[in-house]
Amino acid sequence: MKSIENMPKTYDPAGSEDRIYQNWLDKGYFHAVVNPDKKPFTIVIPPPNITGQLHMGHALDNTLQDSIIRFKRMQGYETLWLPGTDHASIATEAKIVDKMAQEGLKKEDVTREQFLERAWAWRKEYGGRIVNQLKKLGSSCDWERERFTMDEGLSKAVTEVFVRLYEKGLIYKGERITNWCPRCNTSISDIEVIYEEQDGHFWYINYPFADGSGSLMIATTRPETLLGDVAVAVNPEDEKYKDLVGKELILPLVGRRIPVIADDYVELGFGTGAVKITPAHDPNDFNVGARHNLEVIQIMDSRGVINENGGKYCGMDRFEARKQIVKDLEAEGLLVKVEPYKHNVGTCQRCGTTVEPFVSSQWYVKMKPLAEPAIKAVRDGKTRFIPQRFENIYFNWMENIQDWCISRQLWWGHRIPAYYCADCGKIIVAREKPAKCPDCGCETLEQDPDTLDTWFSSALWPFSTLGWPENTPELKYFYPTNVLVTGYDIIFFWVARMIFSGVEQMGEVPFRHVLIHGLVRDEQGRKMSKSLGNGIDPLEVIKDYGTDALRYSLISGNSPGNDQRFLTSKVEFARNFGNKIWNATRFVLMNFDDGVDFSNVDRADFTAEDKWILSLQNRLIKEVTDNMERYELGVALTKVTDFIWDVFCDWYIELVKPRLFDPENKSRLACMYVLNRVLVNSMKLLHPFMPFITEEIYQNLIKDAESIMISKWPEADDSLIDEAAEKELGLVIESIKSIRNIRTQMNVPNSVKTTVIFVTGSENFALIDESKGALKRLGFAQEIVTAEDESEAPGDSATAIIPGAKIFIPLRELIDVEKETARLTKELENIEYELKRVGGKLANEGFISKAPQRLIDQEREKLAKYEELRKSTAERLEKVKSMKELRKSTAERLEKVKSMKNN
RNA sequence: GGAGGCGUAGCUCAGCCGGUUAGAGCGUUCGGUUCACAUCCGAAAGGUCGAGGGUUCGAGUCCCCCCGUCUCCACCA
């Protein structure tokens, strides 16, 4: 074992990670195949946008997935983590438009084909960037199966689904009011609208009656829409306005005669009770208009510019028009007042522009029939959310779902497979462009110019990536996938849509579990955002601390569904932990004999501490495996860390040193064996989280090792669970802690070695004897003495009384009687408190009759233990007190002698 | 308007199905250069688990209500 030569004092991630990752790639460990001999375990990646740059959200999401997939791989599943990217129609199109703007070009300056050429070129150049960044994270994706939402196969899936839904009557085209972004110049779906509270105004405007009998006052937050008003509505129950219904008003600035109508939609007591109705530019007004058969007058174009219906305001931007209209109303004396008003304004998720409700012809998916079975599937537990509370969010949305607007006035994306006959106008939805119109035989057919919402293709991701609509072996084997890992922010956008698509197209949910995580915030708890400039680049963190440290910091100390703050102190801790295990390994290797051979280790040579740590590690394996299976990664990682640092490094290694350094010791080989075994297993348990350093250590530790990532996940061996050993070592550790505590309190420097006297039952003699080396080392003792009776201990000893032993440390003049008294008094108080608590419990009739026997026995045992401790501690305290008196009187005598002399 | 999260040590957070003396990291105080590691080791201080009520033999954990805080959904011109 000369590996130690490769191991400097501190672990250097930069020197290892790329090399290790390349090796994994070369060996093909990430690749999954259809293997009937193994059970599959599948995750499909949430495909990042090709415009994406790795951010902390990706880092968290992918670290979770990689940790799960590595765990399952080691458990022996045929694991597929299927990666890929999303074409992100609107985001990418915006990038291309921006880039063209730099050349002084507008989108309209090029043809659709030229534009798409640019887009594909852009994709080729930048689309792989995020993939390489995912690799830096250590992601063990099957890169041979990488997919892109606009690949040929996936596009075919999109067309297939569109056609099927259309044929089932679940996709229709309709002229409706939709959310529209004037900047992106496209329709957007309801969930792409972000409502923001903004400071606005309430403008109160008088609409004069046509008969000259005064006027009716309305209030609006968007005065420019006045141009499209076709009525004013009041509530039919409104006494104030009852007589006005049916009368006509003159629309200010426009002069159009519009009726006063009655509609329930108007809320009594809000505003003036009279509402202007603009069907073309407000969704509620659109519905009112439909009920009353009102005209729909569009006054703006798709860019938010007032059109010819706006008369003299034609050509003005909507906000410019707003100002001018207010000014003109004021001039005409029709503006009554202006009030400041806070209200919610819909903005475009992509660009932040105020959304404009806009009437246009769009394609919709009829949602109710799709939602129902998807709701049922989750109700029936076919898919479970972790944590479960997110199911409520899913249900709430799905139960109140509106039809989904899927057409976009964009070029980059999947083009809608609908064709229009130039002659008769028939709409033909088909997988391939038909040769001629089936109705009129006309051969001029135009394909719909629009593309589909990006999420339409993402919704098919779990099966389109596996080859659907072909019935591939992959699809059969890997579908449904096991777990989907994603943030709560895209449950509606993506998770819900995958579920109803999977249920509809495959007849089976796309995944069994949905593991939801929260956001990674900055140190102050703010959302990381470009505008705040508070984002932390994961690649920078990797550069400074290593990938494993980053991954560790993202997983540890947080639980599913909760947001977390990104703390540099946490990354530092993780880096330190890496270094700790690195050095533990160095220590182990340093002390191994050359060519050490464990094949003839005799279990009979195992000492108490060997049995103890093997027992604890086997408990750990059970717990961690259980936590991993329940996706409690944070808990699992904490447990592994505590075990490695506290149990293995701080106790086991320290306890074992006397044996290891003594070439004559007969259990030396056993100890090397245990060191090796425990360390290797620990690295395996840690590997899903810290893949690189564990691989590096594994390679150093095991000669000719292939790779930790394909090694077998440790299995617990119940025969190694040893309660007696745990109890014994518990006593040793408690003893050492007590000794250290006393020494610190009494300010005894480490250089001063003391004698330690154990008064303990004979059953522990052998144990103390066996542990002498460790006790001496760790308790800074010169010698360890066992005694039958405490009378053998000198009076001027500090004492620790613990269950199973009384420990005396003769300190002579070093002893501080005051402190010792205080310490023992506090000890006694604690014991009394516990006695009261336990005693009370056992005196409780209800506890005795209803609590499980196991607990009652435990409490009884405790009571006996504390009673014993109280007796011993009280006795000891009395002795120390009398010692104090003695000292005091001695001091007084001395004083006396002195003063006599002076006289 | 509806739904949900969070409130546990100075800070950031764990704490599953209710059951040892409620934990960790950072920070703080004190002490440590013997050959794995100062990216370290040892010792310690620090919490009536937001308030109140209830269920229970037993509540940080379950229920109700209130306070504070954050988020999501809906959206009233």
Side-chain angles (χ1 to χ4, degrees):
Chain A
M1 300 259 173
K2 61 248 176 263
S3 304
I4 185 68
E5 288 149 26
N6 311 328
M7 298 182 74
K9 272 173 84 166
T10 47
Y11 171 62
D12 170 35
S16 304
E17 290 176 359
D18 290 346
R19 169 175 46 79
I20 290 172
Y21 195 84
Q22 192 55 49
N23 182 248
W24 289 335
L25 278 179
D26 293 346
K27 297 276 171 59
Y29 296 146
F30 303 163
H31 185 52
V33 292
V34 173
N35 179 353
D37 297 337
K38 282 168 129 188
K39 277 175 80 178
F41 188 94
T42 314
I43 298 179
V44 290
I45 206 170
N49 292 351
I50 50 170
T51 57
Q53 276 265 50
L54 191 79
H55 56 64
M56 278 299 171
H58 294 126
L60 170 63
D61 193 53
N62 289 288
T63 299
L64 285 167
Q65 292 174 75
D66 194 48
S67 299
I68 294 166
I69 214 86
R70 283 177 185 273
F71 163 64
K72 289 290 173 182
R73 191 182 286 120
M74 289 170 76
Q75 270 193 324
Y77 288 85
E78 183 68 23
T79 45
L80 169 61
W81 183 14
L82 200 155
T85 48
D86 192 294
H87 66 282
S89 65
I90 196 164
T92 308
E93 180 145 334
K95 288 263 178 201
I96 308 303
V97 170
D98 285 351
K99 210 178 166 200
M100 283 173 62
Q102 286 168 17
E103 299 169 36
L105 287 172
K106 282 187 169 167
K107 187 179 158 191
E108 296 76 36
D109 296 337
V110 298
T111 64
R112 185 174 186 134
E113 286 64 38
Q114 287 170 330
F115 186 86
L116 290 179
E117 247 171 59
R118 283 171 178 266
W120 281 106
W122 194 92
R123 190 247 163 178
K124 201 175 168 195
E125 189 168 352
Y126 301 108
R129 187 176 47 187
I130 186 104
V131 168
N132 290 325
Q133 292 169 335
L134 289 174
K135 289 179 180 172
K136 286 294 285 182
L137 265 184
S139 309
S140 57
C141 302
D142 186 351
W143 298 110
E144 292 173 45
R145 295 185 188 275
E146 187 184 339
R147 296 287 184 268
F148 176 53
T149 46
M150 279 172 68
D151 281 349
E152 200 188 329
L154 279 75
S155 300
K156 204 176 151 196
V158 166
T159 304
E160 183 66 28
V161 168
F162 189 98
V163 173
R164 284 189 187 189
L165 290 177
Y166 181 80
E167 285 171 351
K168 273 184 95 171
L170 294 176
I171 281 183
Y172 63 91
K173 192 176 187 187
E175 176 143 305
R176 290 229 203 143
I177 190 155
T178 57
N179 298 295
W180 190 279
C181 175
R183 186 157 180 267
C184 301
N185 199 23
T186 177
S187 59
I188 54 178
S189 69
D190 297 345
I191 49 175
E192 287 170 282
V193 179
I194 309 295
Y195 287 92
E196 265 178 19
E197 192 173 76
Q198 289 182 6
D199 288 317
H201 300 278
F202 234 162
W203 283 276
Y204 291 81
I205 305 166
N206 274 337
Y207 282 26
F209 285 107
D211 60 9
S213 60
S215 58
L216 182 58
M217 184 166 69
I218 59 95
T220 181
T221 55
R222 293 192 299 155
E224 70 280 9
T225 60
L226 169 156
L227 301 171
D229 283 3
V230 293
V232 169
V234 298
N235 188 294
E237 305 297 318
D238 198 331
E239 291 300 326
K240 207 167 41 162
Y241 294 134
K242 229 171 188 165
D243 301 333
L244 303 180
V245 176
K247 287 185 79 168
E248 282 194 321
L249 298 160
I250 302 291
L251 184 58
L253 309 180
V254 180
R256 185 160 56 235
R257 292 168 83 99
I258 58 173
V260 177
I261 59 170
D263 197 288
D264 285 341
Y265 155 70
V266 181
E267 197 185 318
L268 283 167
F270 185 83
T272 66
V275 183
K276 63 194 264 322
I277 301 298
T278 324
H281 296 282
D282 183 281
N284 290 304
D285 293 8
F286 185 83
N287 292 333
V288 174
R291 281 199 286 274
H292 295 266
N293 250 322
L294 300 171
E295 198 185 345
V296 176
I297 303 175
Q298 280 202 351
I299 54 132
M300 271 179 232
D301 68 11
S302 68
R303 293 285 191 184
V305 176
I306 306 296
N307 63 16
E308 61 284 357
N309 290 331
K312 71 178 239 206
Y313 304 98
C314 179
M316 284 186 191
D317 173 78
R318 53 190 170 149
F319 297 117
E320 194 187 332
R322 177 180 296 178
K323 272 187 212 156
Q324 191 57 46
I325 284 171
V326 169
K327 211 185 262 178
D328 293 349
L329 285 169
E330 203 173 5
E332 295 201 12
L334 294 173
L335 183 69
V336 184
K337 58 178 174 175
V338 185
E339 280 176 358
Y341 187 62
K342 257 195 178 43
H343 63 147
N344 281 334
V345 176
T347 60
C348 172
Q349 183 204 29
R350 190 57 57 184
C351 73
T353 302
T354 299
V355 163
E356 196 64 44
F358 192 72
V359 176
S360 56
S361 186
Q362 303 291 344
W363 289 92
Y364 292 89
V365 176
K366 198 184 278 182
M367 284 309 305
K368 281 272 180 274
L370 289 170
E372 263 168 41
I375 290 167
K376 186 168 184 298
V378 177
R379 285 232 187 276
D380 293 348
K382 298 241 170 67
T383 294
R384 288 180 196 280
F385 283 67
I386 303 161
Q388 204 181 357
R389 70 181 126 95
F390 287 100
E391 288 176 11
N392 289 332
I393 293 178
Y394 168 83
F395 290 137
N396 186 37
W397 192 68
M398 288 290 262
E399 281 161 4
N400 299 298
I401 198 158
Q402 303 293 313
D403 286 355
W404 175 19
C405 174
I406 49 170
S407 46
R408 296 290 179 275
Q409 289 62 55
L410 300 168
W411 282 347
W412 177 242
H414 300 97
R415 196 150 168 193
I416 291 176
Y419 305 87
Y420 304 98
C421 173
D423 262 13
C424 69
K426 185 181 170 61
I427 300 175
I428 306 135
V429 169
R431 291 169 182 83
E432 305 285 341
K433 185 176 180 176
K436 56 183 184 189
C437 174
D439 277 11
C440 68
C442 164
E443 289 183 3
T444 314
L445 296 166
E446 281 295 326
Q447 185 170 5
D448 194 300
D450 289 354
T451 53
L452 287 163
D453 182 359
T454 294
W455 298 102
F456 191 92
S457 56
S458 324
L460 320 179
W461 188 250
F463 48 92
S464 64
T465 50
L466 291 170
W468 190 91
E470 308 301 325
N471 193 12
T472 61
E474 278 81 2
L475 193 62
K476 255 190 260 172
Y477 185 69
F478 291 113
Y479 189 94
T481 70
N482 295 79
V483 62
L484 181 89
V485 183
T486 195
Y488 56 68
D489 48 337
I490 59 170
I491 290 176
F492 305 140
F493 283 105
W494 194 44
V495 181
R497 286 164 174 173
M498 280 191 286
I499 294 175
F500 71 65
S501 300
V503 170
E504 168 70 18
Q505 306 303 336
M506 297 291 297
E508 174 67 285
V509 292
F511 26 73
R512 296 291 172 214
H513 295 278
V514 183
L515 177 60
I516 299 287
H517 62 250
L519 263 41
V520 185
R521 298 172 173 277
D522 76 358
E523 300 229 357
Q524 288 133 61
R526 298 172 306 177
K527 216 166 156 170
M528 288 187 185
S529 74
K530 265 189 196 140
S531 53
L532 274 174
N534 62 341
I536 295 163
D537 183 355
L539 299 171
E540 287 295 313
V541 178
I542 287 173
K543 213 169 76 192
D544 294 343
Y545 297 93
T547 300
D548 291 328
L550 172 66
R551 292 171 58 118
Y552 187 106
S553 75
L554 290 169
I555 298 289
S556 75
N558 102 298
S559 50
N562 287 352
D563 289 355
Q564 61 176 304
R565 298 184 195 211
F566 185 85
L567 303 172
T568 306
S569 61
K570 223 165 143 186
V571 190
E572 272 170 16
F573 173 79
R575 191 243 350 236
N576 295 353
F577 176 56
N579 200 53
K580 184 73 186 176
I581 61 177
W582 184 254
N583 276 288
T585 308
R586 290 181 66 232
F587 172 81
V588 167
L589 288 173
M590 254 171 217
N591 290 288
F592 275 6
D593 297 336
D594 284 341
V596 60
D597 175 13
F598 298 131
S599 59
N600 41 24
V601 170
D602 187 351
R603 285 199 172 201
D605 287 337
F606 284 175
T607 63
E609 70 245 18
D610 297 338
K611 292 176 193 161
W612 168 75
I613 197 157
L614 289 170
S615 181
L616 289 192
Q617 185 164 61
N618 275 281
R619 285 185 196 277
L620 176 78
I621 290 168
K622 267 190 192 172
E623 288 180 27
V624 167
T625 306
D626 188 51
N627 288 132
M628 294 298 283
E629 255 148 20
R630 293 153 66 172
Y631 301 115
E632 296 164 348
L633 306 200
V635 177
L637 180 51
T638 302
K639 283 180 184 168
V640 176
T641 305
D642 289 350
F643 177 82
I644 295 176
W645 206 319
D646 298 344
V647 178
F648 184 66
C649 292
D650 289 348
W651 284 106
Y652 185 71
I653 286 184
E654 294 305 329
L655 286 165
V656 116
K657 275 177 180 173
R659 277 161 76 192
L660 203 54
F661 295 160
D662 173 11
E664 304 303 314
N665 193 300
K666 75 175 174 52
S667 70
R668 198 164 157 267
L669 181 66
C671 147
M672 286 186 218
Y673 167 79
V674 175
L675 277 169
N676 186 62
R677 173 180 176 145
V678 172
L679 184 55
V680 169
N681 276 337
S682 298
M683 288 308 100
K684 289 184 176 188
L685 296 178
L686 189 59
H687 179 260
F689 308 104
M690 304 182 92
F692 292 110
I693 190 169
T694 50
E695 178 74 293
E696 196 75 310
I697 287 174
Y698 189 78
Q699 300 289 350
N700 281 300
L701 220 42
I702 300 176
K703 214 177 152 194
D704 304 324
E706 188 167 357
S707 168
I708 193 169
M709 71 166 282
I710 52 159
S711 71
K712 206 165 154 289
W713 184 257
E715 264 176 47
D717 178 352
D718 280 336
S719 73
L720 288 172
I721 305 265
D722 187 336
E723 284 187 34
E726 285 178 19
K727 217 169 157 187
E728 283 180 4
L729 258 289
L731 177 63
V732 172
I733 287 171
E734 274 313 301
S735 303
I736 292 169
K737 283 187 169 175
S738 303
I739 296 166
R740 285 169 173 174
N741 184 314
I742 289 173
R743 292 178 56 99
T744 304
Q745 302 241 343
M746 298 296 155
N747 296 319
V748 183
N750 288 354
S751 53
V752 176
K753 307 278 186 214
T754 53
T755 299
V756 177
I757 301 160
F758 274 82
V759 177
T760 176
S762 55
E763 74 274 11
N764 287 327
F765 270 10
L767 173 70
I768 301 299
D769 222 43
E770 190 186 302
S771 309
K772 265 183 183 170
L775 287 164
K776 276 189 193 171
R777 255 186 88 87
L778 305 181
F780 301 97
Q782 192 156 34
E783 76 184 307
I784 302 291
V785 180
T786 44
E788 297 273 357
D789 194 289
E790 62 180 274
S791 63
E792 294 175 42
D796 54 357
S797 298
T799 320
I801 297 167
I802 60 172
K806 293 180 202 171
I807 300 161
F808 294 86
I809 307 176
L811 289 171
R812 293 180 195 87
E813 61 282 353
L814 282 172
I815 194 166
D816 184 326
V817 181
E818 300 276 346
K819 271 191 185 169
E820 181 68 359
T821 307
R823 216 175 54 82
L824 286 171
T825 305
K826 200 182 156 198
E827 246 340 80
L828 195 57
E829 273 169 17
N830 287 345
I831 292 166
E832 295 282 4
Y833 176 82
E834 281 309 310
L835 268 174
K836 217 172 124 189
R837 211 183 50 82
V838 177
K841 236 181 193 179
L842 287 170
N844 185 332
E845 197 55 44
F847 181 74
I848 298 299
S849 59
K850 293 189 179 166
Q853 192 58 40
R854 181 182 54 85
L855 276 172
I856 297 170
D857 292 346
Q858 243 177 52
E859 293 299 313
R860 288 207 170 117
E861 214 172 288
K862 234 185 275 175
L863 186 74
K865 184 185 86 181
Y866 282 120
E867 271 168 352
E868 176 63 32
L869 283 181
R870 173 167 65 183
K871 186 165 161 275
S872 315
T873 309
E875 279 171 14
R876 184 62 205 167
L877 183 58
E878 280 317 302
K879 262 190 195 154
V880 174
K881 274 184 179 164
S882 67
M883 227 163 90
K884 188 174 163 188
E885 289 309 310
L886 184 75
R887 283 261 170 107
K888 202 158 117 194
S889 50
T890 312
E892 276 165 10
R893 265 193 316 244
L894 274 169
E895 276 305 311
K896 235 177 220 171
V897 175
K898 268 188 203 165
S899 62
M900 276 164 70
K901 265 187 187 167
N902 290 345
N903 289 343

